[in-house]
Amino acid sequence: MGINADEPAPPEPESLPPLDFATMMDTARGVIASETRLSDGELETAARRLRGHLALLIPEAEARLGRLAEAGVEEARRRLTAGPGLLGPGRYVHCLAQSVLTLCDQLTPTGCGVVLRWSRDPRCVGLARLELRKALADWGLSVLEDSAVLILSELLSNAGLHARVTPEQVIETRYFRSSGGLRIEVHDGSPDRPRPRTADPEASDGRGLLLVEALANEWGVAERVGPGKVVWASLSVPLVRPVERDGS
């Protein structure tokens, strides 16, 4: 059965450093909302501002949260140093903004997640799904439940099959609420990185990561402090647009 992970308590609000998280998050949200309408010059300005935010957020997250923010920091650093590349300026700015939101969420009290540890017992997958449903209900994110539960099941089942688990190296799940949705992380002691593969049509397994890839907005694998890796996936709340009135 899951137990609370032995992680440092999240910082109290009054102990937060003088970083303007609200402004950073407003900038990131504004970029995401208007990215398709920005000119090349505006995209360049937005990218420069977001890179400046990440340059402040990455060391702050490492110092204050350590392993709790590890995957988000790794992804943010990769985006910060990679440049637009094949993504193009619009998609690159969107990715920078997502990293800003992820780190801001983790550094503020509302971004503290649910961290649980499990054995390789297959029954733990059902218990982990239950805890995820509870968290989603508490956060008002039940709209993501179907996809989130399927993603968690695949990642946790995969870790249970392949992870090198000892009493000192349990499997760990982490659920984080973000400004636009949810981030799921599964930590295990195996350095082997999972890769999607084409399943045998007659096989009963082998489709797990293809399902994760289809359901998640983003997913990936990152190193962690100590042995093993973290496999993560993020989901965004669907954008509901107001119905336009006839003749408006």
Side-chain angles (χ1 to χ4, degrees):
M1 182 174 179
I3 59 174
N4 288 331
D6 186 17
E7 297 284 351
E12 295 296 325
E14 60 268 22
S15 68
L16 288 172
L19 290 182
D20 192 347
F21 295 114
T23 296
M24 292 181 180
M25 294 177 80
D26 284 345
T27 298
R29 291 187 187 116
V31 167
I32 290 173
S34 60
E35 64 182 277
T36 59
R37 301 190 298 272
L38 297 178
S39 66
D40 288 346
E42 290 169 330
L43 286 171
E44 184 177 347
T45 298
R48 185 165 55 249
R49 177 177 291 185
L50 292 168
R51 285 197 298 264
H53 291 342
L54 288 176
L56 295 173
L57 290 168
I58 288 172
E60 188 68 23
E62 289 179 317
R64 296 182 64 81
L65 302 179
R67 289 175 55 192
L68 192 63
E70 183 180 328
V73 166
E74 171 112 359
E75 188 69 11
R77 183 177 285 112
R78 184 181 66 79
R79 288 170 172 170
L80 185 62
T81 58
L86 297 177
L87 291 176
R91 181 61 182 166
Y92 176 60
V93 164
H94 180 96
C95 290
L96 289 175
Q98 288 286 6
S99 283
V100 167
L101 291 175
T102 295
L103 293 184
C104 283
D105 279 334
Q106 293 183 8
L107 281 164
T108 55
T110 57
C112 299
V114 176
V115 183
L116 300 164
R117 288 179 176 170
W118 313 92
S119 73
R120 291 181 63 174
D121 189 323
R123 291 173 295 183
C124 290
V125 176
L127 296 172
R129 288 197 299 256
L130 177 61
E131 295 299 328
L132 177 57
R133 288 190 178 99
K134 290 179 182 177
L136 292 174
D138 289 343
W139 295 335
L141 295 175
S142 293
V143 67
L144 299 176
E145 181 178 312
D146 290 345
S147 294
V149 166
L150 284 172
I151 288 171
L152 173 65
S153 297
E154 295 300 336
L155 296 185
L156 192 52
S157 296
N158 195 56
L161 287 172
H162 305 295
R164 300 171 185 173
V165 179
T166 68
E168 294 78 28
Q169 292 181 342
V170 293
I171 299 171
E172 192 168 88
T173 56
R174 302 180 182 183
Y175 317 139
F176 295 107
R177 176 187 181 184
S178 68
S179 58
L182 172 73
R183 182 184 179 92
I184 298 170
E185 298 180 2
V186 176
H187 297 239
D188 66 60
S190 171
D192 299 331
R193 296 193 167 212
R195 292 179 177 85
R197 59 187 174 87
T198 302
D200 185 331
E202 298 182 0
S204 60
D205 59 6
R207 300 174 179 83
L209 289 179
L210 295 176
L211 179 63
V212 171
E213 196 170 59
L215 293 175
N217 292 92
E218 292 184 282
W219 79 279
V221 187
E223 295 179 354
R224 63 196 297 265
V225 177
K229 64 182 178 299
V230 52
V231 185
W232 60 270
S234 62
L235 285 167
S236 298
V237 175
L239 180 62
V240 178
R241 299 183 182 278
V243 178
E244 295 184 1
R245 296 180 180 178
D246 293 338
S248 61

